[in-house]
Amino acid sequence: MNKEIVISEQELAKHARKLLEESALAKFKVTDYPGPELFDLAVTISLGGTECEFLADCRLRPSARDVAWLSAQELPKKRRPILATVKLTPSLVDECRKLGVGCLDLNGRVWIAAKGLVIDREVPPRKTRYVLAEPPVNFFSLKSSRVARALLSFPDRTWKQADIVELTRLSKGLVSRLLKHATQQGWVEDKRGAWRLIKLDSVLTAWEEADEFRKRVSIRQYSALEPDFRVLAQRLLQGLTGDLAFTQWFAASLRFPYTVPPVLSVYRSQFPSDEDVNRLDLREVADGGKIWILAPREVGVFQTVRRVQEFPLVCDAQIYLDLIRSGLRGDDQANALRKWPGFCRP
């Protein structure tokens, strides 16, 4: 009789590491990734005299968007990304091949390629089969957090479920599950289908604990000769198309200034092209840039934008989350903004 092992998110990296270390396909050296919370494992593969280094991102339910995001990461020391999961689908493997992202699952499917190294193996079914755990609702996942952002952006509003569905563009079923979870947590109250936020601080604190800034954005830095951030912000608004929304220090300075902004941070769906950079008189730098372009993995950051002094800003809760633990006195500005009576208010 085959044995099933149910895998939760907390156990996935452990089982992926065990699978690699015990594999006969090649020699695998696996360690916990010591860098920011962007990846889970550092993997060195030796095969036929070739040695290559990889970084593994472990995800229970990966999507094609996750593969594209991994493909776009600029990794140190020419390392390449690997997506590790419980069960890969053929379409997801094809997406990984197309974008050059290695992939493996706990049930034996492996595709990893680099210069001088290819591992492509569909291992026959084993006596042990790994399956997904039925997960609890994750109120602060990339997509689900649209509901938290909506509630925090309009804390005095009474909502119908259909209103939240329309604003967030999430399915009715998902919104229903998220609202039920929020009610169970005591964050919102439901009066005959009319929903109202009653514990703003509790929601924001829980979101802060769950939030992983470096996993939800990619950052590129740019230098510019112009010293005035307002002038630079206007230049970006005039010179770039598509959604733009300012955040972090500059946005906080327009809401409740407390520290001198060291950086101009702005969300944009895509990084500027080389033509954009030249036209705006910018120069991309590895570190120390005064302009940070943030490419979000999830477009919900653009759904509750407000305009302050002609500049589009993400909501106050998003500014807070983007600032906290960011360094450069970001904590000071974040906490001052949160204590301000106008926080999350029009």
Side-chain angles (χ1 to χ4, degrees):
M1 180 180 292
N2 289 345
K3 177 184 178 183
E4 281 191 354
I5 297 180
V6 178
I7 299 297
S8 66
E9 188 169 1
Q10 292 75 19
E11 299 169 321
L12 178 55
K14 177 186 72 175
H15 284 278
R17 179 172 182 170
K18 183 174 184 289
L19 173 74
L20 290 170
E21 290 176 336
E22 295 178 355
S23 175
L25 298 176
K27 182 179 179 181
F28 294 88
K29 179 183 177 182
V30 187
T31 59
D32 292 335
Y33 180 56
E37 297 291 330
L38 191 62
F39 293 89
D40 301 288
L41 302 171
V43 182
T44 301
I45 303 177
S46 301
L47 179 64
T50 298
E51 185 175 283
C52 300
E53 294 184 344
F54 299 83
L55 296 178
D57 187 21
C58 300
R59 294 186 174 273
L60 279 184
R61 292 174 173 80
S63 66
R65 181 185 289 270
D66 294 317
V67 177
W69 183 80
L70 283 171
S71 174
Q73 299 309 299
E74 297 179 2
L75 304 186
K77 298 180 180 179
K78 298 183 179 180
R79 292 177 173 177
R80 299 176 68 85
I82 295 176
L83 174 66
T85 189
V86 177
K87 179 62 178 177
L88 288 163
T89 62
S91 60
L92 202 58
V93 175
D94 289 343
E95 192 71 10
C96 288
R97 287 177 182 271
K98 183 173 70 175
L99 296 179
V101 175
C103 58
L104 63 91
D105 71 23
L106 299 186
N107 290 294
R109 184 68 176 103
V110 180
W111 182 83
I112 299 173
K115 186 175 181 180
L117 181 149
V118 176
I119 302 173
D120 189 2
R121 184 70 61 89
E122 180 81 53
V123 176
R126 308 173 181 182
K127 291 184 178 180
T128 300
R129 187 167 69 96
Y130 294 88
V131 296
L132 287 165
E134 188 62 32
V137 171
N138 184 353
F139 197 77
F140 302 110
S141 70
L142 288 176
K143 184 170 285 189
S144 297
S145 61
R146 294 183 190 181
V147 171
R149 190 178 291 108
L151 294 171
L152 292 169
S153 296
F154 305 97
D156 301 320
R157 177 173 175 175
T158 298
W159 300 81
K160 293 182 179 179
Q161 182 174 302
D163 297 332
I164 297 178
V165 169
E166 181 179 1
L167 175 61
T168 63
R169 302 177 201 167
L170 298 175
S171 70
K172 181 178 178 181
L174 178 56
V175 170
S176 177
R177 292 193 297 275
L178 293 171
L179 288 174
K180 180 180 178 181
H181 174 79
T183 303
Q184 292 171 340
Q185 300 300 312
W187 297 337
V188 303
E189 65 177 3
D190 172 21
K191 292 187 176 180
R192 299 181 180 180
W195 305 85
R196 188 173 67 87
L197 178 68
I198 56 175
K199 291 187 178 178
L200 184 153
D201 279 340
S202 296
V203 175
L204 186 58
T205 297
W207 195 358
E208 179 186 342
E209 291 173 352
D211 187 53
E212 296 179 275
F213 179 74
R214 292 285 177 172
K215 276 205 167 186
R216 59 179 171 81
V217 301
S218 297
I219 303 175
R220 288 187 184 175
Q221 299 187 29
Y222 302 85
S223 65
L225 294 177
E226 171 59 55
D228 190 323
F229 282 158
R230 284 178 175 262
V231 173
L232 287 173
Q234 290 170 343
R235 187 185 300 175
L236 293 177
L237 286 176
Q238 295 168 2
L240 295 175
T241 59
D243 289 328
L244 286 174
F246 294 95
T247 187
Q248 293 188 313
W249 299 271
F250 179 73
S253 73
L254 295 176
R255 292 292 287 151
F256 183 72
Y258 187 79
T259 62
V260 177
V263 169
L264 175 66
S265 307
V266 62
Y267 279 105
R268 188 172 187 250
S269 297
Q270 296 178 335
F271 291 119
S273 65
D274 291 342
E275 180 181 332
D276 292 331
V277 171
N278 291 332
R279 186 178 66 256
L280 294 168
D281 198 20
L282 306 178
R283 182 168 62 89
E284 186 174 350
V285 294
D287 196 17
K290 66 170 64 176
I291 299 174
W292 292 3
I293 306 292
L294 313 180
R297 293 185 63 183
E298 215 290 312
V299 298
V301 294
F302 298 113
Q303 291 182 344
T304 53
V305 169
R306 76 167 85 206
R307 284 196 169 265
V308 177
Q309 299 178 33
E310 78 181 296
F311 298 106
L313 311 183
V314 297
C315 66
D316 286 354
Q318 191 70 62
I319 297 172
Y320 173 83
L321 291 171
D322 294 341
L323 276 171
I324 204 74
R325 297 189 297 275
S326 64
L328 303 175
R329 295 197 68 198
D331 284 5
D332 292 342
Q333 175 64 83
N335 289 320
L337 178 66
R338 183 170 178 172
K339 293 175 183 176
W340 173 47
F343 181 64
C344 288
R345 294 303 192 275

